[in-house]
Amino acid sequence: MLDIDRPPVLPHVEPHRKPLTILQSVRAAQRNVLEIIPAIAYQQPIVTGRMGGARWHMVQDPTALRRIFLDSAANYPKSEVMLRMLRPAVGNSLFTSEGADWRWQRRAVAPVFAQRNVAALAPVMTATAERASQRLSAAGPDAEMVGEMLTATFDVICEVALSGREHFDASAYGAAIIRYFETAGKASLLDFLRVPSWFPRPGELLGLGAVRTMHDMVAKAIAARRQQASGKADDLLDFMLTAKDAETGRSMSAQDVLHNMQFFIVAGHETTALALSWALQLLALSPDIQETAHAEARDVLGNQPATLAHLDAMPLSRRILEESMRLYPPVGMLAREVLASDELAGRAIAANDVIFLPLYALHRHALLWEDPNAFNPDRFLPEQVKGRDRYAYLPFGAGPRVCVGANFAMMQAHIVLSTLLARFRFEPGSRPLPTPTMLMTVRPDTGVNLRVTARKEQGSA
């Protein structure tokens, strides 16, 4: 068990305690989606309100969440507002499709993320961890970790998706992602007023250049692969190019392939990089936990980067990642439509109501977590996990649409984090702590700026 004294004040969002007007809600959603979560949502299983004639509910009850994600999932499709913000970039891909469209795409990509295939990718992740260490060593004492981790995870996802990144300019692609999040990926007043999604939003027009930048790079990679004689790289792109629906014989169109590749490249490196960055920020603020994790990693790894064979011997590093994603889930808010009337957490839900799923509040809920705003990796000891409702912790979603790449993401993050912990000490930098800010993902608004010091090699004087 960890010895945790005087836990530090962690980066957080101060929730509002009075109802927001439509205009205040729009401004909050455009600035930081987490700001629309009221204080009461951290205390109650469900919160209900009305805005512009629309009734909404924020659901933080695990039993109700199981119904939404699993038992009655067909009654709660993804919100049209959320889909509108994503479709320009990822079209009708695995993430945005529903019903039969979704099922066959899921079948097409699932083999890539089967455990045996993920395990085979571990050497790529180990090589990435080594390169990340070398970059940190060369960067000097002050480093911005979000950028460093994005570079590391981009390497891995390109290898998995495309067997290489020769068609990608990582900095240009990353800048396009941020530009998209800040334009088309933001809620509009028209969304709150329930103006139909076919009516253009200003952000969509401003985000066209970012979409074009991302799509051009992905399209070039796909075109190059189509020209290859063998087509036997056995990566995500090969699976998509050759996938056929066993029931209908349908294969992916050129646009289907483009949109799904775009989704996996963005989601596959952005969320893992953020989990690593938040973990390092938390460890910098919790030196006792960091020292324990360092000792574990150094004892197992010595001076070598982590491999798949090492991971079971470093459980604390994994618990740190899990606790980091509790405090800062990669996606802090989801939204669902309601097709037919129902009951959730003892409350009547009507057709056409809007359901908000504030995972950020769920993971910090006073009824579900002791001292919920503290960083304590021991929450994820096996006996603690066994006694907790599965639907109290949802960093990768749940039910049939649980993230297909969850095992891949955790393995990658575990290999990188444990390698870095064995070799470096992380301390707070000179800048103020960041604020968790969600547009599409929960990012630190000013980055994670840390002082990074190389530790002496094992056995050296």
Side-chain angles (χ1 to χ4, degrees), residues 81-360:
V81 172
M82 187 169 70
L83 296 178
R84 180 201 62 73
M85 293 188 290
L86 290 167
R87 281 196 187 110
V90 300
N92 192 37
S93 62
L94 181 67
F95 188 75
T96 52
S97 59
E98 296 283 352
D101 259 359
W102 169 78
R103 282 191 293 274
W104 96 266
Q105 290 187 71
R106 177 84 175 205
R107 287 196 297 268
V109 302
V112 181
F113 297 102
Q115 184 57 41
R116 64 182 182 278
N117 289 339
V118 171
L121 295 168
V124 175
M125 301 173 185
T126 298
T128 293
E130 182 62 54
R131 288 194 296 272
S133 293
Q134 292 171 2
R135 284 194 301 271
L136 279 183
S137 294
D142 297 311
E144 197 291 294
M145 301 309 302
V146 175
E148 293 288 347
M149 296 302 99
L150 283 169
T151 298
T153 58
F154 194 78
D155 277 349
V156 174
I157 197 60
C158 283
E159 192 66 35
V160 172
L162 301 161
S163 298
R165 56 182 286 182
E166 59 268 25
H167 300 285
F168 285 85
D169 178 332
S171 60
Y173 193 89
I177 292 173
I178 295 172
R179 176 66 174 162
Y180 184 82
F181 286 174
E182 292 176 343
T183 53
K186 281 189 174 183
S188 162
L189 176 60
L190 301 177
D191 295 325
F192 283 82
L193 297 177
R194 287 200 158 181
V195 174
S197 59
W198 54 259
F199 192 91
R201 272 61 170 170
E204 291 181 34
L205 301 176
L206 294 172
L208 288 176
V211 172
R212 190 158 46 246
T213 296
M214 292 186 287
H215 283 187
D216 283 352
M217 291 188 196
V218 177
K220 287 177 181 176
I222 294 171
R225 176 61 56 79
R226 288 187 186 277
Q227 292 174 1
Q228 290 179 355
S230 65
K232 296 295 183 182
D234 289 334
D235 55 21
L236 181 59
L237 178 53
D238 268 352
F239 273 93
M240 288 187 182
L241 290 173
T242 59
K244 283 194 175 182
D245 186 354
E247 296 177 7
T248 66
R250 175 183 172 182
S251 59
M252 286 193 183
S253 68
Q255 189 174 60
D256 289 338
V257 174
L258 173 65
H259 285 151
N260 273 292
M261 290 300 296
Q262 167 72 8
F263 165 65
F264 277 104
I265 291 170
V266 173
H269 88 287
E270 167 90 5
T271 55
T272 307
L274 291 175
L276 283 163
S277 301
W278 282 117
L280 292 169
Q281 176 69 85
L282 290 165
L283 289 167
L285 295 170
S286 307
D288 291 346
I289 297 176
Q290 182 181 167
E291 288 305 306
T292 304
H294 160 69
E296 175 189 82
R298 180 52 71 91
D299 285 349
V300 172
L301 301 179
N303 300 321
Q304 301 301 309
T307 69
L308 176 60
H310 293 127
L311 297 187
D312 286 346
M314 297 182 293
L316 177 54
S317 295
R318 183 181 176 93
R319 296 202 305 272
I320 287 167
L321 288 164
E322 291 171 324
E323 174 71 342
S324 301
M325 289 189 292
R326 181 188 71 84
L327 288 164
Y328 307 104
V331 178
M333 173 85 79
L334 298 170
R336 295 288 190 269
E337 309 281 358
V338 182
L339 299 185
S341 60
D342 200 1
E343 182 177 298
L344 296 172
R347 187 157 301 172
I349 309 296
N352 298 318
D353 284 358
V354 176
I355 303 291
F356 291 112
L357 309 176
L359 304 184
Y360 186 87

Side-chain angles (χ1 to χ4, degrees), residues 122 125-126 129 306-308 311 410-419:
M125 301 173 185
T126 298
T307 69
L308 176 60
L311 297 187
M410 285 303 298
M411 181 185 296
Q412 178 183 187
H414 198 173
I415 285 173
V416 173
L417 180 63
S418 54
T419 299

